[in-house]
């Protein structure tokens, strides 16, 4: 049985962590398996949005597989090598050109939080619980994981999560900006897929360019010049989709975007 399940629902690809017996704890090998799956999603012109979820009712991702800790974290060199391989998978998720939505139910602990913040948007069940309990294991998050978390929740909150190792409710996560919405558990799938479907109806090049420019903005401490988005200005404003958007608005009909 595969540790990942990839299904398509129209323009939405749903990628699921499939280890419910371990609360979807992620192994090192799974990060390496993740990369070609994301490459497949990226290459499929019919997929507009990716939804990441966990199988089962108890967890989104309840951390890394503790069974690997002793072997993989036995020395500083091993720990750094482990994190390099993990980061290859996580950064591929964060760098996907298509919008991503994390659908979070149950526990999102450690690795679960870091995979969630590698996605663009996060929708949580009211039963979701969040923590970065590295202090309880004597290990450390990787700098890229910490940076992505801090970009979402801010420096002080990211530091609090790591220093206290405490568990946060879904509504606390909403208040700190860790998630975008909290919904009743029985509505989570419907809300997440409806959100993804709404995103999928929009102009693909605009979505890609918007994300790329926001990432560039966040990488700079100064307000960026318009020229930073010149490549995307050229692609988007010379595209058929740009003309289709204006035409559909004038004709009072839904646009039919083609991604070109």
């Amino acid at each position: 049985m595969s540790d990942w399940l990839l299904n398509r629902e129209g323009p939405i690809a749903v990628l699921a962590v499939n280890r419910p017996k371990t609360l979807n704890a992620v192994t090192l090998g799974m990060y390496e398996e993740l990369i070609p799956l994301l490459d497949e999603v990226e290459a499929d012109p019919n997929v507009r949005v990716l939804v990441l979820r966990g199988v089962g009712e108890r967890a989104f991702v309840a951390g890394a597989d503790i069974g690997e800790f002793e072997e993989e974290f036995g020395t500083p060199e091993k720990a750094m090598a482990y994190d390099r391989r993990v980061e290859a998978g996580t950064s591929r998720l964060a760098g996907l050109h298509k919008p991503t939505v994390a659908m979070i139910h149950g526990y999102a602990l450690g690795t679960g939080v870091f995979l969630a913040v590698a996605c663009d948007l996060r929708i949580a069940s009211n039963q979701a619980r969040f923590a970065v309990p590295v202090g309880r294991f004597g290990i450390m998050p990787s700098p890229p994981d910490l940076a992505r978390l801090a970009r979402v929740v801010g420096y002080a909150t990211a530091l609090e999560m790591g220093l206290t190792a405490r568990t946060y409710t879904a509504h606390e996560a909403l208040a700190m900006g860790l998630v975008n919405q909290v919904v009743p558990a029985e509505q989570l799938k419907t809300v997440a897929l409806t959100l993804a479907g709404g995103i999928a109806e929009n102009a693909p090049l605009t979505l890609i360019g918007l994300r790329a420019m926001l990432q560039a903005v966040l990488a700079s401490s100064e307000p960026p010049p318009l020229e930073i988005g010149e490549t995307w200005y050229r692609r988007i404003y010379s595209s058929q989709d740009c003309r289709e958007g204006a035409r559909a608005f004038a004709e009072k009909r839904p646009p039919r975007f083609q991604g070109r």
Side-chain angles (χ1 to χ4, degrees):
M1 184 172 64
S2 174
D3 289 336
W4 294 101
L5 298 177
L6 179 60
N7 297 298
R8 290 165 180 78
E9 300 187 20
I12 303 168
V14 180
L15 181 60
V17 184
N18 186 34
R19 300 187 75 214
K21 290 183 179 179
T22 67
L23 299 184
N24 296 322
V26 179
T27 66
L28 182 57
M30 289 175 66
Y31 283 99
E32 294 167 343
E33 295 167 1
L34 176 61
I35 295 172
L37 290 171
L38 294 173
D39 290 344
E40 181 180 336
V41 169
E42 192 85 272
D44 188 340
N46 295 315
V47 171
R48 299 280 181 87
V49 183
L50 173 71
V51 173
L52 180 66
R53 58 162 302 186
V55 171
E57 302 299 322
R58 298 177 62 197
F60 170 67
V61 171
D65 192 319
I66 297 175
E68 296 185 330
F69 281 17
E70 185 173 355
E71 172 62 25
E72 300 296 346
F73 296 155
T75 67
E77 292 75 19
K78 284 185 175 182
M80 289 190 70
Y82 176 95
D83 276 347
R84 284 192 191 98
R85 293 165 68 186
V86 167
E87 176 58 17
T90 309
S91 63
R92 183 66 187 94
L93 175 62
L96 198 73
H97 289 150
K98 299 178 180 183
T100 52
V101 178
M103 187 173 85
I104 304 166
H105 56 285
Y107 292 107
L109 310 178
T111 293
V113 169
F114 297 134
L115 285 171
V117 297
C119 294
D120 297 316
L121 303 175
R122 289 155 293 281
I123 310 300
S125 154
N126 58 359
Q127 298 174 6
R129 296 294 182 267
F130 301 83
V132 181
V134 289
R136 301 206 174 149
F137 294 98
I139 59 175
M140 192 168 108
S142 73
D145 279 337
L146 284 174
R148 282 185 286 265
L149 177 61
R151 287 191 193 106
V152 170
V153 302
Y155 170 85
T157 300
L159 191 60
E160 177 190 310
M161 292 181 76
L163 292 179
T164 65
R166 84 173 182 88
T167 299
Y168 298 80
T169 68
H171 288 287
E172 286 176 317
L174 179 65
M176 68 173 66
L178 181 56
V179 300
N180 298 87
Q181 292 184 52
V182 173
V183 301
E186 64 274 13
Q187 297 177 19
L188 178 62
K189 182 177 180 180
T190 298
V191 171
L193 293 181
T194 299
L195 173 67
I199 294 170
E201 293 175 357
N202 294 324
L205 289 178
T206 296
L207 302 182
I208 296 170
L210 175 68
R211 294 170 70 251
M213 284 190 283
L214 274 173
Q215 289 166 4
V217 168
L218 290 174
S220 171
S221 59
E222 298 294 330
L226 282 175
E227 287 73 16
I228 200 169
E230 182 175 354
T231 298
W232 289 106
Y233 273 75
R234 290 183 184 279
R235 288 192 65 183
I236 290 168
Y237 288 102
S238 64
S239 70
Q240 293 180 30
D241 280 355
C242 183
R243 293 189 290 276
E244 167 64 8
R247 190 179 303 117
F249 180 82
E251 295 172 2
K252 296 180 171 57
R253 60 171 175 80
R256 295 183 289 271
F257 294 125
Q258 302 296 319
R260 59 180 187 270

